[in-house]
Amino acid sequence: MATPLQGISSMATRQVLAELVAAYAQQSADPVHIESVGGVDAARRVQAGEAFDVVILASDAIDKLAASGHVRAGSKVDLVHSGVAVAVREGAPVPDLASEDAVRRAVLAARSLSYSTGPSGVALARLFERWGIAQEIAPRIVQAPPGVPVGTLVARGEVELGFQQLSELLHVPGITLAGPLPEPIQITTTFSGAVATAAAQPAAAQALLAFMASPQAAPAKRRQGMEPA
């Protein structure tokens, strides 16, 4: 039996990659195993020299890995665009998210809120700074540990308002999706793949990424709350 292609990704793409890998298995003899962890941990492990064939992370993280020589120059492929949504515990009142002002009011009214350690969380923190409320809400922010979905904290009742990429909230039981952030403040992260410099099967890794970027992969991306890149 062929040695599986080894990949690593952030948690945000776990569901869509599982669906795409299953579809790829229908047309390729190359078995694929992709491990999904917190994005910061994934990048650290690639930088530490762990043997992966393919790496799928936020586009800027891939760029940093390329600059440091940990993924192959010219191998980067943009795969999906992923936006941020808001969740509350199942049965809780759903806040108005129709405008930037409405979201600001919902954030100020929440007894507790959480966002991820990934790119969307960094962007949200900047948004709260721009609104001038960062210090006021700081004591109410519950930081989700890397790899732990914000929706899990919301479902447990530990957090009243959870912000995370829609793809990571879609399949969490015990929550209600309040909706996406409105367009003026929507935070979109592009996730990209690249062939690791240490890849044992670079050609097969590039073929996998080509499939994942193909029009054939688009329906799976939309099912998982993302848009094709």
Side-chain angles (χ1 to χ4, degrees), residues 176-208:
T176 297
L177 283 171
L181 289 176
E183 201 53 49
I185 56 168
Q186 178 55 268
I187 297 160
T188 302
T189 302
T190 299
F191 288 92
S192 309
V195 179
T197 305
Q201 304 180 70
Q206 199 74 62
L208 172 66

Side-chain angles (χ1 to χ4, degrees), residues 12 80-86 116 119-121 124 162-170 177 179-183 185-191 221 224-228:
V80 291
H81 302 305
S82 180
V84 170
V86 183
S116 79
S120 62
L124 272 169
F163 295 80
Q164 198 157 30
Q165 283 158 37
L166 174 60
S167 59
E168 293 191 75
L169 293 171
L170 273 180
L177 283 171
L181 289 176
E183 201 53 49
I185 56 168
Q186 178 55 268
I187 297 160
T188 302
T189 302
T190 299
F191 288 92
K221 295 171 183 179
Q224 299 299 337
M226 297 177 162
E227 284 298 316

Side-chain angles (χ1 to χ4, degrees), residues 102-192:
V103 176
R104 187 176 182 275
R105 286 194 298 272
V107 168
L108 286 170
R111 290 188 297 273
S112 57
L113 59 147
S114 183
Y115 49 81
S116 79
T117 54
S120 62
V122 173
L124 272 169
R126 284 200 297 264
L127 177 64
F128 298 152
E129 288 279 358
R130 178 167 71 77
W131 283 346
I133 64 172
Q135 285 188 311
E136 181 181 346
I137 66 172
R140 294 183 253 154
I141 292 174
V142 180
Q143 190 68 69
V148 176
V150 167
T152 304
L153 304 182
V154 176
R156 290 182 198 146
E158 296 172 23
V159 169
E160 192 172 303
L161 209 58
F163 295 80
Q164 198 157 30
Q165 283 158 37
L166 174 60
S167 59
E168 293 191 75
L169 293 171
L170 273 180
H171 303 286
V172 179
I175 67 172
T176 297
L177 283 171
L181 289 176
E183 201 53 49
I185 56 168
Q186 178 55 268
I187 297 160
T188 302
T189 302
T190 299
F191 288 92
S192 309

